[in-house]
Amino acid sequence: MTESVRQVSENDQLRADIYQLLAALLRRQPSPELLQFLANLEIDANEDNEMTKAWLSLQLAAQQFSDEQLEDEHFALFLGVGSGEILPYGSWFMTGSLMDKPLALLRQDLMQLGFEREDNVKEPEDHVAALCEVMGTLILEAPSYRQLAFYQRHIGSWIGRFCDNLAKAPSAAFYATVAQLAKAFFEMEASAFEQLSLDIPVNCPGSADLQPATSDLAKPVELMN
């Protein structure tokens, strides 16, 4: 990590917080503390947009579901006996296979950016929760062009289909509202990145010409707990 302090706008802080929230919800069922936080969200219901509708739906769901129900739902969706109803991996959505070329490319880029996988982590790095964690970190610590490059290469082409599949999964109840929030948020991200791509070059985050002498993300961080 460099010694300089990067100024983070209020909007970027909110984006990073939403990425980390989605990561927490998609990694495992929400803890009682997180559920309480969601149930008590202060939401301006007068704002008529998809994000507001999604926040209200998630808040209502957080007030209605028990810990046991959420544990069962998360297991059915993402784990299951053998496999869950949803395979939350980028490689699967991009190629129809697990542990495929997109995962190898992702690992190269993560290495260049300074991320390391913890030894006790069993999930591949292209798990949607891990990717959300990386984006949350990049927003706070890396230039916009790195955010854009990472999003376009590893997330943007398939995340909408993931949200749609999660929303329609047979066991999705609480997680249908998580999918609603994710869908609305990633649509906003896609629009913002589309505008950003008009102003800066789109390059691989691991390419040599983008690697500074001192990387903004030199300090390894844990991808998933």
Side-chain angles (χ1 to χ4, degrees):
M1 193 74 64
T2 59
E3 294 294 330
S4 61
V5 178
R6 181 173 182 268
Q7 295 297 316
V8 178
S9 68
E10 183 178 350
N11 181 65
D12 279 352
Q13 183 64 61
L14 177 59
R15 290 173 58 221
D17 289 344
I18 294 175
Y19 271 111
Q20 294 297 344
L21 173 62
L22 291 173
L25 291 170
L26 294 168
R27 184 189 304 114
R28 60 179 63 91
Q29 73 274 12
S31 65
E33 294 77 15
L34 179 53
L35 207 60
Q36 188 65 35
F37 168 78
L38 295 173
N40 294 329
L41 282 173
E42 294 184 5
I43 304 168
D44 186 357
N46 294 321
E47 293 189 13
D48 186 18
N49 56 57
E50 293 305 312
M51 280 296 290
T52 298
K53 295 175 184 177
W55 282 121
L56 290 170
S57 296
L58 182 59
Q59 180 185 51
L60 182 61
Q63 296 168 351
Q64 294 178 333
F65 286 83
S66 68
D67 293 342
E68 183 178 355
Q69 287 175 313
L70 292 174
E71 182 178 4
D72 291 344
E73 183 177 337
H74 187 275
F75 180 85
L77 287 169
F78 300 110
L79 300 173
V81 179
S83 66
E85 297 168 3
I86 299 291
L87 289 173
Y89 305 104
S91 291
W92 175 259
F93 279 90
M94 285 190 274
T95 68
S97 301
L98 298 175
M99 309 294 288
D100 211 333
K101 183 177 180 180
L103 178 57
L105 294 174
L106 172 63
R107 286 172 171 167
Q108 292 176 10
D109 289 347
L110 291 175
M111 183 180 300
Q112 290 287 340
L113 289 169
F115 289 89
E116 291 182 357
R117 180 180 176 181
E118 294 291 314
D119 293 337
N120 62 341
V121 175
K122 298 180 180 178
E123 296 285 359
E125 293 88 337
D126 62 341
H127 190 288
V128 63
L131 295 171
C132 285
E133 288 177 341
V134 171
M135 280 300 301
T137 299
L138 292 178
I139 288 168
L140 298 179
E141 302 185 13
S144 296
Y145 66 83
R146 290 192 185 277
Q147 303 170 34
L148 170 65
F150 189 88
Y151 181 89
Q152 289 188 330
R153 186 167 190 179
H154 301 297
I155 300 175
S157 66
W158 60 271
I159 195 65
R161 285 181 287 128
F162 167 79
C163 295
D164 291 340
N165 287 4
L166 179 57
K168 296 183 293 186
S171 296
F174 173 85
Y175 274 92
T177 67
V178 175
Q180 181 183 356
L181 177 68
K183 178 80 170 182
F185 174 65
F186 282 115
E187 286 178 351
M188 292 177 59
E189 285 288 275
S191 178
F193 280 128
E194 181 178 1
Q195 180 59 45
L196 183 61
S197 68
L198 299 176
D199 303 322
I200 62 176
V202 179
N203 293 298
C204 167
S207 60
D209 59 320
L210 295 183
Q211 185 65 20
T214 56
S215 172
D216 288 330
L217 292 176
K219 182 180 179 181
V221 299
E222 180 180 354
L223 291 183
M224 296 184 66
N225 294 325

